[in-house]
Amino acid sequence: MVDEYKILSKLSNEQKNVIISKDNILLTACPGSGKTRTLTHKLAYETAINSLSHKLNIAITYTNRAANEIYNRLDDMEIDSATVWTGTIHQFCMKFIIRPYAMYSERLKKGYYIIDEYTKEKYGKSIAQELKIKMERYDDPFLNKDVVNAYEKLLEVNKEIDFDMILKFSHLLLEANPFICENISSIINCLLIDEFQDTNEFQYLILSKIYNANKKIQLLFVGDVNQAIFGTLGGKAKNKNELDILYNTYFKPYSLTGCYRSTQQIVNLYRNFEIQATGVNSVSDIKDETSIISHNTSISNDKLTDELAEIIQLELANGTKEEEICIIAPQWFDLFKLSKELREKLPFTSFDAPNISPIKYDPLNPLYLIAQLLFMPEGRNVTLKKKIANELLSIFKDDLKINISDNILNYDIISTINRCRYKENDGILCFKYAIEQVYLLLQINIQTEQVLLEIQNQIFDKINNRVEKYDLKTDCETMNKYFGEKRGIVLSTIHGVKGEEYTTVIAISLLNGKLPHWDIICNYDNNFRMLETKKLLYVLCSRAKKNIYLFSENGYRTRSGKPYTPTNELSFIDWENL
């Protein structure tokens, strides 16, 4: 057992004050201030001082990746995470609300399956076609009310729900059954909400109902209004007064103001894009070092790959490690071609670049979870593997209503799947074998489980389509790379690198209409476009520790034939005096 004094020993005073406080806290954390470190140590501290309690210390994260990072850090700290739970709000709702209490919903009590975005999109287009609604290629069928109504009826007939409905049904269950709030709240010690500025209205309401059933729960909301880049997806940064009213409590404001990540020059750059002033300054060991900060508007898109290759070679020659370099674009589309070209130009350099896997990412699909356990690195991430195995059992038992013995534990699932490794040279055949062995362990007759059979047919149809469409390799070694920890120069989007940091950041396609994308901002005014652009640039530039190369390359044209122009907000920067 790690004691609380050791947990607090290497923290700043700002971080320590947050962790030991018994108040409900609204924490503003600037980039590089140790937000994840503070969250993780708060969980560790609460676990240590409440070692005799079975109550849970919960952290709600925005992404699975962030949740996994917290578990890995707790493992590194040798913290027993038996009373720790961390995951996304959708995972929280599934585990603590829908699965235990689905019997109180007429819509869910006979079973349900959560469909992915691919299936939702397919249903929407098919319904629009049946209703003879004219749709252009990029039109969203769900903007049509008739499509939405027909879609919801179809899901009800199929006993299906989509990702967004998880929050809707969770809120309905809590609203209609107050005792559920009481039951859940009684097992929680503290509730930490990461990236609160990206929380949507349903999330605020769900968590407030649980808290108001037990005011002894400690609340910690952590975020940064300047990084609220998910507003178009429903994210809303409620202010302190709004939170006080909704949760019927007092949130004490705290701040993490020192940036331990970047040079002062980098901080000076991203402060230009603040929506709300933070007073952030660098307190890092490299704060006074000279940064390379450039903005190139003259290069053409057909010369861009050559230029990036030269920068990469220069950075590597100067001692920057591959994994400390990140290439960022506004959308994934801009990275696929670039990834291929850079690999050809720099064959001896490793890239953690976007790859299209034969098995599409879908953590709510039980068969995807089997693939994840099968192809993840052996002997590592034990806590995460247990969590995945528990999720797999929950989907079979609670969602699909399959009768499975309570004697089957997560360890049995992991052991069974581990024995399937390399039983076949081809990864897809190995995956099929692992599925069969899990069915044997759980005594599932797939021919009598029609919903599971449909899930199985769908996942292998998608695999076949992706392999054929993108000419993908499926040997076990390649499949391990898809699911393993990637190494090398990172290629990602602005949304994808939120929360991460790199010595050198290279950003491309910083153009009006790409940052943000036309399709996202077309229904909003110019002031909204400016705010969204500044927040994206704030997140982008604050990922860099030391060097940042920005490109607004020319040569691209819009659908109407007009040339793209450099992002307006970059033209106001005094580049010479950062």
Side-chain angles (χ1 to χ4, degrees):
M1 172 63 69
V2 180
D3 65 51
E4 60 265 35
Y5 302 104
K6 186 175 180 181
I7 292 168
L8 298 172
S9 62
K10 294 182 180 180
L11 299 172
S12 71
N13 287 333
E14 284 184 334
Q15 295 165 348
K16 195 179 300 182
N17 289 338
V18 171
I19 289 165
I20 64 176
S21 174
K22 296 299 181 184
D23 296 312
N24 290 330
I25 292 176
L26 178 60
L27 176 61
T28 299
C30 70
S33 59
K35 174 175 65 70
T36 303
R37 180 180 176 85
T38 303
L39 277 172
T40 305
H41 281 71
K42 177 67 172 176
L43 290 172
Y45 181 77
E46 290 297 328
T47 300
I49 66 172
N50 297 288
S51 59
L52 299 180
S53 172
H54 295 294
K55 289 194 173 185
L56 294 173
N57 303 295
I58 291 176
I60 307 292
T61 61
Y62 196 80
T63 64
N64 286 306
R65 187 168 183 168
N68 295 343
E69 174 67 16
I70 289 173
Y71 276 125
N72 289 337
R73 290 194 189 196
L74 290 172
D75 278 348
D76 291 341
M77 294 169 66
E78 299 181 342
I79 298 296
D80 181 1
S81 57
T83 58
V84 172
W85 187 92
T86 180
T88 66
I89 185 65
H90 292 84
Q91 291 169 332
F92 174 86
C93 288
M94 289 302 302
K95 180 174 178 61
F96 294 100
I97 303 174
I98 289 184
R99 286 181 183 139
Y101 299 106
M103 74 283 287
Y104 297 100
S105 166
E106 288 297 319
R107 173 73 163 77
L108 303 177
K109 67 181 182 181
K110 294 181 181 179
Y112 53 87
Y113 173 65
I114 303 164
I115 63 171
D116 61 12
E117 283 299 311
Y118 172 87
T119 305
K120 178 180 179 178
E121 183 179 337
K122 186 174 73 172
Y123 283 170
K125 289 180 178 178
S126 175
I127 290 168
Q129 191 173 18
E130 288 176 10
L131 295 176
K132 295 182 169 43
I133 297 170
K134 188 177 180 181
M135 305 288 294
E136 299 296 333
R137 181 180 177 185
Y138 295 100
D139 287 349
D140 181 359
F142 293 100
L143 295 177
N144 185 289
K145 194 170 183 178
D146 291 334
V147 172
V148 172
N149 291 336
Y151 169 74
E152 291 179 351
K153 289 177 182 177
L154 175 64
L155 293 194
E156 186 169 0
V157 169
N158 291 349
K159 294 184 181 178
E160 295 171 331
I161 62 175
D162 64 28
F163 194 65
D164 294 330
M165 289 177 178
I166 292 173
L167 300 185
K168 173 188 172 183
F169 282 112
S170 294
H171 182 253
L172 288 172
L173 280 166
L174 297 183
E175 186 82 18
N177 305 280
F179 75 90
I180 299 177
C181 300
E182 295 169 7
N183 289 353
I184 297 170
S185 66
S186 69
I187 63 170
I188 299 175
N189 173 54
C190 67
L191 189 54
L192 319 181
I193 294 84
D194 191 14
E195 306 284 9
F196 81 89
Q197 75 278 356
D198 296 322
T199 298
N200 71 29
E201 199 64 41
F202 267 137
Q203 296 171 17
Y204 283 118
L205 290 172
I206 288 165
L207 297 177
S208 71
K209 285 185 176 297
I210 291 170
Y211 170 75
N212 278 296
N214 177 13
K215 294 292 189 70
K216 293 180 180 179
I217 296 173
Q218 276 193 68
L219 294 175
L220 171 59
F221 278 69
V222 187
D224 180 1
V225 172
N226 293 303
Q227 298 186 64
I229 60 174
F230 290 92
T232 54
L233 298 179
K236 182 181 180 183
K238 287 188 182 293
N239 59 38
K240 176 183 151 23
N241 186 54
E242 290 173 315
L243 289 174
D244 286 350
I245 293 170
L246 180 60
Y247 285 81
N248 192 25
T249 188
Y250 174 78
F251 281 88
K252 188 170 183 179
Y254 281 74
S255 296
L256 300 179
T257 57
C259 174
Y260 293 88
R261 173 185 300 162
S262 309
T263 66
Q264 187 59 46
Q265 283 182 289
I266 295 292
V267 173
N268 292 343
L269 171 62
Y270 66 73
R271 281 176 63 170
N272 284 282
F273 309 118
E274 285 184 334
I275 304 299
Q276 181 175 300
T278 61
V280 57
N281 280 295
S282 176
V283 292
S284 74
D285 294 337
I286 63 169
K287 65 178 182 178
D288 296 322
E289 293 187 18
T290 301
S291 292
I292 298 173
I293 301 176
S294 67
H295 180 214
N296 189 323
T297 61
S298 61
I299 195 165
S300 62
N301 56 3
D302 60 336
K303 301 291 184 184
L304 183 63
T305 304
D306 291 333
E307 181 71 14
L308 298 193
E310 286 186 21
I311 292 172
I312 290 169
Q313 289 173 316
L314 177 63
E315 287 287 332
L316 295 175
N318 289 337
T320 306
K321 295 179 180 178
E322 290 178 349
E323 59 269 23
E324 282 293 319
I325 300 173
C326 182
I327 300 172
I328 304 175
Q331 285 87 35
W332 285 109
F333 174 80
D334 299 307
L335 292 168
F336 289 115
K337 181 183 176 185
L338 179 63
S339 168
K340 182 180 179 181
E341 291 175 348
L342 284 174
R343 283 190 169 106
E344 291 172 353
K345 287 189 176 295
L346 302 172
F348 300 108
T349 303
S350 298
F351 290 91
D352 176 356
N355 285 321
I356 300 173
S357 167
I359 305 175
K360 185 178 181 292
Y361 177 77
D362 185 5
L364 295 175
N365 185 316
L367 304 188
Y368 175 84
L369 298 181
I370 292 175
Q372 201 173 5
L373 290 171
L374 178 65
F375 297 115
M376 283 174 69
E378 292 184 77
R380 300 177 64 186
N381 306 114
V382 175
T383 301
L384 177 56
K385 287 180 179 178
K386 288 179 179 178
K387 184 183 177 185
I388 293 170
N390 284 334
E391 176 72 3
L392 177 64
L393 286 169
S394 292
I395 293 174
F396 281 143
K397 288 181 179 180
D398 303 318
D399 300 4
L400 301 178
K401 304 299 182 187
I402 297 174
N403 187 23
I404 293 171
S405 170
D406 291 334
N407 294 325
I408 302 294
L409 305 176
N410 56 25
Y411 176 79
D412 301 312
I413 295 282
I414 295 168
S415 298
T416 296
I417 293 174
N418 281 343
R419 289 194 294 270
C420 298
R421 291 177 183 268
Y422 300 106
K423 284 289 185 180
E424 302 281 352
N425 292 326
D426 182 81
I428 305 305
L429 293 178
C430 193
F431 176 39
K432 288 180 178 179
Y433 179 74
I435 292 172
E436 292 170 0
Q437 294 306 302
V438 170
Y439 289 166
L440 283 174
L441 171 71
L442 303 180
Q443 297 183 352
I444 294 174
N445 180 352
I446 187 62
Q447 299 305 320
T448 63
E449 301 294 343
Q450 290 303 308
V451 176
L452 182 56
L453 181 59
E454 179 61 24
I455 293 170
Q456 181 173 297
N457 291 337
Q458 284 184 7
I459 197 169
F460 282 104
D461 283 345
K462 291 175 190 175
I463 288 171
N464 293 334
N465 289 336
R466 290 165 77 87
V467 169
E468 184 177 341
K469 182 176 180 180
Y470 301 108
D471 191 25
L472 302 177
K473 294 181 180 179
T474 62
D475 59 278
C476 282
E477 186 176 347
T478 300
M479 296 296 290
N480 288 340
K481 291 178 182 178
Y482 287 127
F483 287 87
E485 294 180 13
K486 296 180 180 178
R487 299 287 182 184
I489 296 169
V490 174
L491 279 78
S492 189
T493 63
I494 299 172
H495 292 82
V497 296
K498 190 175 177 184
E500 299 183 4
E501 58 183 45
Y502 303 90
T503 298
T504 297
V505 166
I506 304 167
I508 66 168
S509 297
L510 303 182
L511 303 164
N512 293 313
K514 285 181 174 282
L515 181 77
H517 196 275
W518 295 124
D519 291 347
I520 294 175
I521 62 172
C522 62
N523 295 320
Y524 300 92
D525 60 23
N526 188 59
N527 186 59
F528 177 86
R529 183 209 62 78
M530 181 193 69
L531 292 174
E532 289 302 297
T533 303
K534 290 182 76 170
K535 287 185 285 187
L536 288 165
L537 289 171
Y538 183 89
V539 170
L540 164 63
C541 295
S542 61
R543 300 311 95 199
K545 297 178 186 177
K546 189 173 181 181
N547 303 320
I548 187 162
Y549 303 83
L550 305 175
F551 288 90
S552 299
E553 65 272 27
N554 54 66
Y556 295 115
R557 292 188 174 272
T558 67
R559 293 173 198 165
S560 62
K562 295 180 180 179
Y564 279 92
T565 56
T567 297
N568 294 340
E569 284 64 30
L570 291 173
S571 65
F572 302 111
I573 306 301
D574 184 358
W575 300 99
E576 300 298 325
N577 295 301
L578 289 171

